[in-house]
Amino acid sequence: MTAARPWTAPVATGPVGSALRLPGSKSMTARALVLAGLADGPSRIVRPLAARDTTLMATALRTLGVAVDTADAEVWNVEPGPLRGPATVDVGLAGTVMRFAPPVAALATGPVTFDGDPHARNRPLRPILDALRSLGVVLDAAPGGGLPLVVRGTGVVGGGEAVIDASGSSQFVSGLLLSAPRFAKGLTLRHEGPPVPSAPHLRMTTHMLRAAGAVVDDSAPDVWVVEPGVLHGHTWQIEPDLSGAAPFFAAAMVTGGAVTLSDWPRASWQPVGTVIDLLTRMGAEVTQDDAGLTVRGTGRVRGVTADLSEIAELTPVVAALAALADGPSELRGVAHIRGHETDRIAALARELGKTGAAVAEHPDGLGITPGPPRPASFETYADHRMAHAAAVIGLAVEGIELTDVACTSKTLPEFPELWAGLVTGS
C-alpha cells in the first residue's frame, strides 16, 4: 500500500481555466491487458493508464507468464505466453484485478494464489467464484467467499453454461466474458437477480471482445453468449479516462470556469452521453469540438434527482457538487458502491456531513441538502474517489484537510499536482 499523505485542498480564488491531457481509461487499459494476454500474438496498448491498478494488472499477467513491456509510457507491448503457476498475484485494492485475473488463472497450469490490501478481503467476489466452480474450475476461497484465494488451474476450462447474480458488480460478468473465448465450450452466462449496475462497462467489454475477434451475442437481456475461438493480437487506442476527468469538470462548474479534456474521441466506448446529460442538468454547459470535450460553469450548480446506476464511479464527485448546489439532491441506484474501495455511501454521508451538508443515507444512495460550509478533516478511506470529492469541496470551503491524497495513485498518480495547477493557474 502507498504511504498516507495528508493534504490541504486548495481553495479557488476565481474561475479555473485549463486544457487537460489526462491518462488513459483504467477500465479500457485493464480490459486491453487481459485480452492481449490471452491473444494469439503480440498486442500494443497505446496511451495506457500507468497507475497502481493497471500496474497491478500488468504484474499479474507477467506472474502468469505473459510478457508485458511498460518501459515506454506511451505504448505498452504485450507478448502472450503459456499461462503457468505456481504464482502469487497481489490485487491491491483493484476490483478489476481481483475479478478479471482469476478466470485467466483458471486457464493456467498450476496453482495461483490471490490476495491484496486488507480491505480487498471485504470486497465482493463470491458470485464469480461460484460461476467458475460451476464451469469445473477448482479453487479454494476464504470462508466468506473472497480473498485470499487459490485457483488450481489445469490449463483448460470446459466452459458451457453458468448463472450469476451480478447485481453487486458488472465486473463479475466482464471478468468471465474476457476469458470466455479461451474456454473449450465458450460460455453462455445468464444473470439472475436485481439489475446489473454500470451497464456501459459491460458494453465496453463486449465491444473490445469483438475488436479482438471474439464472437459475442448480447442481444437477449441479461444473457451473454461467447463462442469458443481465438483472440487476436490488436493495437488498442486507449481513450482518456472519463471518470478521472469528473473532478476537473466539477471544478469548472463550482468556479464558473472552463475545463477541456483534450483528445476526446468523437465516438467513445465510455458513457459520455450519460455524463453530459447529468452535468448539464446540474448547471454546466458541455460542448465537443476538435479541441476536446469542454465543460463550462454557468455560475450556478443545481441540485438534481438522478439515477447514477450507469455512472456509479462518479457518485463521490456528484455528491460533492450536490453539497455545493443551490438546492437539495437525491442520488439513487448505487447500492453496489457499498462494496467498492470502501462503503462509499456511508463514507460520503459521514464526510460531507462534516463539511456542513445535511445528508440522508439511503440503502441505494444519498439525499443531500447543502448547508453552511465549514472546515473539516475529510477521511479518504484509501479511496481515490473520496479524495476527489474532498478536493471538489475544498474549492469552495477553506480548511478541507484530506487525511490522505496518496490514494489517488490508484488511478491518477499526478492528481495532487494537476489539481493544484488547475486551481492556482500555475
Side-chain angles (χ1 to χ4, degrees), residues 11 24 64 96 101 144 198 212-213 232 244 249 252 263 277 287 329 365 375 378 389 393 421:
V11 179
L64 292 171
T96 47
S198 303
H232 301 303
F249 291 157
D263 302 324
D277 176 69
T287 57
S329 294
F378 200 108
I393 293 290

Side-chain angles (χ1 to χ4, degrees), residues 243-403:
S243 296
F248 298 95
F249 291 157
M253 296 173 65
V254 170
T255 67
V259 170
T260 297
L261 179 58
S262 300
D263 302 324
W264 185 256
R266 289 288 184 177
S268 172
W269 287 348
Q270 298 178 80
V272 63
T274 305
V275 173
I276 289 173
D277 176 69
L278 176 65
L279 297 184
T280 301
R281 290 172 58 205
M282 296 191 79
E285 294 179 351
V286 186
T287 57
Q288 184 173 2
D289 55 25
D290 291 341
L293 187 68
T294 300
V295 175
R296 292 181 176 85
T298 58
R300 178 186 180 193
V301 178
R302 293 195 292 262
V304 69
T305 297
D307 180 342
L308 302 182
S309 58
E310 290 207 347
I311 50 172
E313 277 290 300
L314 272 63
T315 303
V317 165
V318 174
L321 280 171
L324 300 173
D326 61 3
S329 294
E330 286 286 332
L331 310 178
R332 295 298 186 101
V334 291
H336 63 288
I337 70 172
R338 291 187 181 278
H340 281 198
E341 284 80 346
T342 188
D343 179 341
R344 285 180 174 165
I345 292 175
L348 286 165
R350 282 192 295 270
E351 303 311 314
L352 293 178
K354 291 180 186 177
T355 69
V359 185
E361 182 180 340
H362 304 304
D364 72 334
L366 298 161
I368 301 171
T369 301
R374 56 176 180 259
S377 173
F378 200 108
E379 174 63 52
T380 55
Y381 304 90
D383 185 341
H384 56 148
R385 304 300 184 202
M386 291 297 294
H388 295 165
V392 170
I393 293 290
L395 291 167
V397 182
E398 191 169 1
I400 299 298
E401 305 282 346
L402 283 67
T403 58

Side-chain angles (χ1 to χ4, degrees), residues 32 68 79 114 135 175 227 260:
V68 184
E79 185 77 42
F114 293 84
L135 296 170
E227 295 184 13
T260 297

Side-chain angles (χ1 to χ4, degrees), residues 96-166:
T96 47
V97 182
M98 66 188 294
R99 292 161 183 155
F100 293 3
V104 177
L107 293 163
T109 53
V112 181
T113 301
F114 293 84
D115 206 354
D117 294 357
H119 186 72
R121 295 186 175 191
N122 300 326
R123 298 197 69 177
L125 191 58
R126 182 188 292 274
I128 196 169
L129 302 186
D130 287 347
L132 286 171
R133 287 190 179 102
S134 75
L135 296 170
V137 177
V138 177
L139 51 87
D140 306 317
L147 300 175
L149 164 71
V150 180
V151 178
R152 303 189 182 281
T154 61
V156 177
V157 175
E161 297 187 6
V163 176
I164 193 169
D165 179 353

